[in-house]
Amino acid sequence: MTKTAGPRSPLPGEMLGQWKLIDRAGRGSFGVVFRAQLTAEPATVAALKLAREPMDARFEREAKLLDSARSPHLPRLLDKGEWLSPDGQSYPYLVMQWVEGLPLYAWRNSQGLSNASAARALAHVAHALAELHRIRGVHRDVKGDNVLVNSEGQAVLVDLGAAWHVGARPLTDTVIPPGTEVYRSPELLRFRRQFRRTPEAHYISQPADDLYALGVTAYRLVTGTYPGPLTNPDTSSAEPSRFLPPRELATVTPELERLIFRMLSEKSEERGTAAELAQALEQAAINSGAAPLTKRPSMMQTQKTSRPGPRSHLTVPVWLSWVGSSAIAASLALVVWMVATPPQPPKTMELAHAEEEEAQNAGAPEERLTGLADAGVGEVYASTAALPSAGVPTYAIGLPMPTKPFPGQRKPPCRPRSEVEIHGACWVRLDIKPPCGNEGFEWGTLCVVAAFDGPKSNTSEHP
């Protein structure tokens, strides 16, 4: 059994090469992130990402891409090395620029958003992708959780743990690569459906996959929900799935809406290139002026955006459909902000059909080849730029428990096995132990998040 950087990972104060660990800042599927300082220059603070598995080849691949990339919208690689654990295992680590900011969707909820600021942040991500594509790399996990935005609206695309570049050797034997399900491109889903029973088949990620994921990210950013088909066409039909226009959910400018639909095109060639989209998004930001970006309350019914066909009379409250079905809030010094996970993303026709096949063929070897085990990476990188309120890092260890429930939080009786009652409200127990980092609140020996009544969140990713 493979040993991981778990019970005896490095502790604050220890040295890894020329870097002294300050504190633990976060964790993901592939690595644990520490805040570290250069011993020769204590003022130099960086993000040190340590592998959770010995000799993880993903780190060499990530280092190669970051070392070759030249973009202000990608973290800079400062150093790399290996940590020898007490049991003799060697764990690679990378040291990168510390990028401080809020994850994209939390940034959207923390302030009034305009069409210009949304288009500009998306343009920054497109610039980052253009650079990765220039050096023949593909990110493969573009989503809001992997985009950090600082107080000046500058966005940085982080976490290249799932990235790939031409010439890199395969690290898994799965049909499709790592990623987060709702952001996967139509062509990838079609490939999975066609070759799911062919173990030797492997999908080769393309730049167009990143652009489709950016389109899903953009749709989620401006509307507060994931794109869902207006109709449920027969799977044999050549007619592509049609998404509810963003303008029906929010005050999106026509120019920005056109670019979102371009990125979400069923035909990969119609998405263009990342460089072209970056330029178009920059122009959209200029043309938008001060046009505000606000939701349209009358359109925010969960069933309209996620369930095709006749609707029932059940209506989810406006705020819940905008924010999501569970929330993670942070109260750091004088800064209080809440990060919420969205409603259950709607399934594409290909995914729905594939899941139906899985139910009919339970136990087949290829059913494990979904790539979801590598989803939800969400590592943390931060810079020395301060946030507007108090300059407190966005991510911290041990978020203090709120003294009162959030609006709409479920009241007791709580679910006996999965929830706990705290301060007169229900909180979901997480499967991790303190320190909770940015995963949730610490309550004694538990890590918890607020429980809400509503559609379940996609547990395969942190949007």
Side-chain angles (χ1 to χ4, degrees), residues 302-303 306-307 314-317 319-321 323-326 341-344 408-410 415 419 450-458:
T302 299
Q303 291 182 335
S306 64
R307 297 182 185 176
L314 175 63
T315 301
V316 176
W319 71 268
L320 181 57
S321 60
V323 174
S325 63
S326 64
T341 56
Q344 171 84 14
Q409 188 173 352
R410 188 165 62 250
R415 298 185 177 113
E419 297 177 356
F452 291 86
D453 287 317
K456 291 183 179 180
S457 295
N458 188 335

Side-chain angles (χ1 to χ4, degrees), residues 10-16 18-27 32-39 42-50 78 93-101 332 379-385 391-397:
L11 300 174
E14 290 191 38
M15 298 291 299
L16 270 70
Q18 56 184 335
W19 299 90
K20 181 179 180 180
L21 303 183
I22 301 174
D23 52 32
R24 178 171 158 168
R27 68 184 183 91
V32 179
V33 179
F34 295 86
R35 194 160 57 99
Q37 63 182 169
L38 188 62
T39 52
T44 301
V45 177
L48 188 149
K49 179 181 175 182
L50 176 67
L78 305 178
Y93 66 83
L94 304 177
V95 183
M96 288 161 283
Q97 169 195 6
W98 182 273
V99 181
E100 187 165 298
L332 303 174
E379 307 290 6
V380 182
Y381 309 89
S383 76
T384 53
V392 181
T394 301
Y395 294 89
I397 297 177

Side-chain angles (χ1 to χ4, degrees), residues 227-249:
L230 269 175
T231 60
N232 189 4
D234 183 87
T235 54
S236 63
S237 171
E239 181 183 9
S241 300
R242 291 175 291 170
F243 300 124
L244 192 68
R247 64 179 177 274
E248 294 195 27
L249 298 173

Side-chain angles (χ1 to χ4, degrees), residues 192-256:
R192 179 174 67 185
R193 180 181 171 188
Q194 181 178 359
F195 294 104
R196 59 185 293 101
R197 306 301 178 195
T198 310
E200 63 272 16
H202 300 286
Y203 182 82
I204 304 300
S205 298
Q206 301 295 323
D209 297 312
D210 282 345
L211 300 187
Y212 185 88
L214 181 58
V216 176
T217 302
Y219 192 103
R220 170 77 171 87
L221 174 66
V222 303
T223 69
T225 189
Y226 288 104
L230 269 175
T231 60
N232 189 4
D234 183 87
T235 54
S236 63
S237 171
E239 181 183 9
S241 300
R242 291 175 291 170
F243 300 124
L244 192 68
R247 64 179 177 274
E248 294 195 27
L249 298 173
T251 56
V252 184
T253 61
E255 186 175 6
L256 180 54

